[in-house]
Amino acid sequence: FPSHDTARFRMNKQNPKNVATLHDVAHAAGVSPGTVSRALTRPELVADETREKILKVIDRLHYVPDARA
């Protein structure tokens, strides 16, 4: 049975491709979308513990950053 976090992004009507978004990762990790973005682009600015938590959620939700962003 999928976790609550996984089910949340699959039911997002504004996300027709059913893929995890940066906001989904932020919500599941309990951080802001800006923190997720910094963890990916400027990891030295994010605490190790926070970055590890975000990376675990990214792996669990199979998040892939949008190349167009």
Side-chain angles (χ1 to χ4, degrees), residues 22-34:
L22 183 131
H23 285 85
D24 294 324
V25 172
H27 178 78
V31 299
S32 73

Side-chain angles (χ1 to χ4, degrees):
F1 189 75
S3 72
H4 172 71
D5 297 329
T6 303
R8 179 182 176 276
F9 78 80
R10 287 188 178 159
M11 293 186 291
N12 184 345
K13 292 180 182 178
Q14 294 177 338
N15 185 2
K17 293 183 181 179
N18 293 327
V19 295
T21 66
L22 183 131
H23 285 85
D24 294 324
V25 172
H27 178 78
V31 299
S32 73
T35 301
V36 175
S37 180
R38 274 189 298 281
L40 296 173
T41 60
R42 302 281 310 271
E44 70 278 6
L45 298 179
V46 180
D48 292 340
E49 182 178 325
T50 302
R51 189 173 63 252
E52 287 301 318
K53 180 170 47 171
I54 291 168
L55 293 175
K56 286 179 183 179
V57 170
I58 286 172
D59 187 52
R60 187 174 79 237
L61 297 182
H62 306 288
Y63 172 70
V64 178
D66 188 339
R68 297 173 294 170

